[in-house]
Amino acid sequence: MTAKPNSLTSKVHNLQVPELLAPAGNWECAKAAVENGADAIYFGLDKFNARMRAENFTEVDLPELMEFLHLRGVKGYVTLNTLVFPQELKDAQQYIRSIISAGVDAVIVQDVGICRLIRHISPDFPIHASTQMTITSAVGVEFAKELGCNLVVLARECSIKEINKIQQQISVENSHQKSLPLEVFVHGALCVAYSGQCLTSEALGGRSANRGECAQACRMPYDLISDGEIVNLGDRKYLLSPQDLAGLEVIPELVKSGVSCLKIEGRLKASEYVANVTRVYRQALDNVIKDIPDIPENQQKTLIKKGNQEHYNLEMAFSRGLYTGWFEGINNQELVHARFGKKRGVYLGEVKQVGREEITIRLEAPVKAGDGVVFDCGHPERKEEGGRVYGVLRKGKDTILRFGKRDLNLRKIHIGDRIWKTSDPELDKQVRQSFASEKPQFQRPIFVELYGELNENLVAIARDEIGHVVQVKSSITLVEARNKPLSTERLQEQFGRLGNTPFCLGELKNHLEGELMLPVSELNKMRREIVARLEELRTQPKLWKINENASLSDLLPVKDSLILPSPQLIVLVRNLKQLEATLKAGIETIYCEFEDPRKYKQAVQIVRQSSHLQFSNYSSPNPSPQIWVAPPRITKPAENWILQQVRSSNADGYLIRSYDHLRYFAGENCIGDFSLNVANALTADYFKNRFGLERLTASYDLNINQLEDLLKSAPSQWFEVTIHQHMPMFHMEHCVFCAFLSEGIDFRDCGRPCEKHQVKLRDRVGTEHILQADAGCRNTVFNGTAQTGAEYVEHLIKLGLQNFRVECVNETPEQVTQTIHLYQQLLEGYITGSQLWRELRLQSQLGVTRGTVVS
């Protein structure tokens, strides 16, 4: 497969061709990506990467892997995209030095502290802000830039309209300097939750997605319970499992948006998947670039219709259904079909008749002997019937599929069952052939200029597409041609013989003066020398600057030995009745997180009136309570109106949950919430001292040992810890209320069922998880079982921790009062953590687990 001359660096009508970035979980996947046209690959090592279940590479592999990639004109990016705990920072420091020394092209990072450490070690090594950093706005891009990042991978939830708005805003903000390039995912599995904000695996099994151990709870079935009753959704059970992303048809719009990179998801996928999907997008991207000037704007789509070869290839590679995701805006009826959460493939049709070892269907896609199929009876959680097709017989408009004896249990196949093609051995063979050979299949262009005149040497200047230049001279001089002079066509033929090399001939310019001749053997020798010298240049490791004296200790904050006051209990409430109960319980610091921020004014009023009454009551020992309010966790480009509503409440302070909030509430009293993912002292120091936050909520990914390490590595008064909560598991753009309790596609036509119904999601073990919406129509699924860290409170107090948080979700005022009372007794030393645990266990209406602090 030969690259087109303009495949990487050319511009069409001022449009920069985006880089095509493919996943590689192992060596075979890396080769599959290279041979099918990837401009770059991304891969993990055996630590600190968000796909720990992949085979991955090691530090020892890096020099050889980078030499292979660079020889082929492909970049290599290492994923260091997990949170890093305090005791791991030294290992991370060594990892970073190894990565930089190996000539890796960039590292993809989630952890703010790790970004700081990389930039401290090297002033020029490229850092890509991972999608795990949850960047959804121009403010987020600017945050990444100030942190030292060189590129931002936007959240998958950004539409093309929002991408264009972000591009416009960052261009205005950086009018005098270059703005950061943006990367977007274009194909692959869609996480239903915002990357970096999913705590489901952590909550349910202690396997954090922020640590590369996602257990894919979003792909499981759930019952929808509305106001205490199960909603009959028929065969729709997979309420949180989106279709797979396929951005093929919107590539023209993505190119015009100016994004610098299109990224394919799939480091856990096989090499055939990588080869198949990479080739489809390579060809589509090249065709779009070629065709954009000639196609009317309203028709600029690489149409991906059911039945065409590209769509077929992508479905056979891996498919839970293909959809454009959020690129074209929110459509809650399309994003999640909810009928299955696992790979299907190509839809063949429905069963019309069941015979002896044969099934009659009305065919909707091609099928042939040898293909594998599965029969879908609407219960994907059960073992499904399937097997290889032995024969295909056309009978009018129907098709009869024949199977081997005893391959199928025909009693489990029914009329109306859907049939999916899950395997196409012929396609698999074609795909494997694309990367099985030792001979390069995908060649990148070189551009040659030839100069010479009579009795002088022939001079060839060759350039590759990434800027390497070599000059080669013939060892003998040019002579006058008696026949067959060195025409442009002859020169193209000789210099184009690059079959076993990484190169193909792009443009050749002939500047020879007169009709001249040189032996073919000399031309071949020059061609071979050009190839050898370009290969040598390309395989030289990149030399990034490294500060040999830079040390992790340079960035660590200084621990002090302040004498701290008594510990305080902070309570977060989610409605006004909970707020009133919390005030009556004498809580001095209250956080409010309401679905409707307009109600914050009333909440502030209630607290201020309570404060006035306390002030009038001279016998009251409590100081005036403070109220802090929380904006929604995510802010999109057009949503500042929500932040305006939050600030108009004139609360005592604000919970900071994203990079947008850091800027919008600058100068106010601010506390960093858990969603900032503060997991180590480097991150804590950045948020505390760079942005002046009063304190920080420790990441919910930390267990007791890691919390202890955090408190020992930074001043303990910087932090608060949530010791009782219903873990916020999924935080997502997908609105379950809209998708399954309305026929609308978004907030404009859904009828706002979130305001009318109390909804829960019941999982396979019977736990009912609480569903709530926010002002931006984003949904959060809270764990139906509360968790407590009560048994570790005494130890945390000894470590200097002063601020302990209790979070309410849907508790009644009586339950709120009861819970607060127990934790007050705990902090005052009247009961132990074990006693509190037993008391909460007795309150069966609450339910409680020791949760993630223990694990």
Side-chain angles (χ1 to χ4, degrees), residues 488-595:
T488 300
E489 292 73 20
R490 262 196 94 195
L491 291 166
Q492 285 174 335
E493 180 186 356
Q494 291 304 129
F495 282 90
R497 292 182 176 179
L498 297 162
N500 289 318
T501 77
F503 308 114
C504 61
L505 182 62
E507 186 179 11
L508 182 142
K509 292 182 179 180
N510 181 2
H511 301 287
L512 297 185
E513 297 180 8
E515 294 194 340
L516 304 171
M517 189 188 74
L518 205 63
V520 169
S521 59
E522 188 67 19
L523 297 177
N524 291 341
K525 179 182 174 185
M526 292 179 70
R527 184 189 68 242
R528 288 192 294 268
E529 188 175 351
I530 285 171
V531 169
R533 290 175 62 181
L534 281 175
E535 287 182 341
E536 183 183 0
L537 287 174
R538 288 161 78 103
T539 54
Q540 288 178 0
K542 293 198 173 183
L543 299 177
W544 305 108
K545 296 177 183 176
I546 295 182
N547 181 358
E548 298 293 342
N549 298 318
S551 170
L552 168 65
S553 59
D554 302 335
L555 301 177
L556 290 172
V558 177
K559 275 282 289 180
D560 50 36
S561 55
L562 292 176
I563 299 174
L564 298 174
S566 301
Q568 71 158 337
L569 188 66
I570 301 160
V571 178
L572 183 145
V573 299
R574 289 189 164 91
N575 59 54
L576 292 172
K577 289 183 179 179
Q578 291 178 348
L579 173 63
E580 290 169 349
T582 302
L583 283 168
K584 288 177 184 176
I587 296 299
E588 297 170 14
T589 302
I590 302 171
Y591 299 159
C592 290
E593 183 186 0
F594 295 171
E595 177 185 343

Side-chain angles (χ1 to χ4, degrees), residues 49-68:
N49 95 80
R51 290 291 182 271
M52 289 306 294
R53 287 185 293 128
E55 186 175 331
N56 293 315
F57 294 87
T58 67
E59 291 173 272
V60 177
D61 293 320
L62 285 177
E64 183 183 355
L65 177 60
M66 294 314 301
E67 181 176 338
F68 165 69

Side-chain angles (χ1 to χ4, degrees), residues 238-282:
Y238 295 81
L239 310 183
L240 303 178
S241 181
Q243 298 191 70
D244 290 340
L245 172 64
L248 198 60
E249 67 179 77
V250 296
I251 283 181
E253 290 98 318
L254 289 171
V255 171
K256 288 192 292 182
S257 75
V259 295
S260 69
C261 184
L262 303 179
K263 185 173 190 175
I264 298 167
E265 183 276 340
R267 283 192 288 132
L268 290 172
K269 302 289 199 306
S271 52
E272 289 86 353
Y273 166 92
V274 175
N276 191 342
V277 176
T278 302
R279 175 174 286 208
V280 168
Y281 279 90
R282 175 77 276 155

Side-chain angles (χ1 to χ4, degrees), residues 26-97:
N26 56 38
W27 271 100
E28 192 171 56
C29 289
K31 190 173 182 185
V34 169
E35 299 298 2
N36 285 277
D39 298 315
I41 68 165
Y42 64 104
F43 55 92
L45 302 178
D46 51 359
K47 294 180 185 176
F48 309 125
N49 95 80
R51 290 291 182 271
M52 289 306 294
R53 287 185 293 128
E55 186 175 331
N56 293 315
F57 294 87
T58 67
E59 291 173 272
V60 177
D61 293 320
L62 285 177
E64 183 183 355
L65 177 60
M66 294 314 301
E67 181 176 338
F68 165 69
L69 293 175
H70 289 162
L71 174 63
R72 302 302 301 279
V74 175
K75 293 180 180 179
Y77 306 142
V78 168
T79 56
L80 210 163
N81 55 344
T82 65
L83 300 183
V84 177
F85 297 148
Q87 289 296 328
E88 298 171 329
L89 287 173
K90 287 184 179 178
D91 283 348
Q93 178 179 229
Q94 184 55 52
Y95 237 50
I96 290 163
R97 289 186 179 275

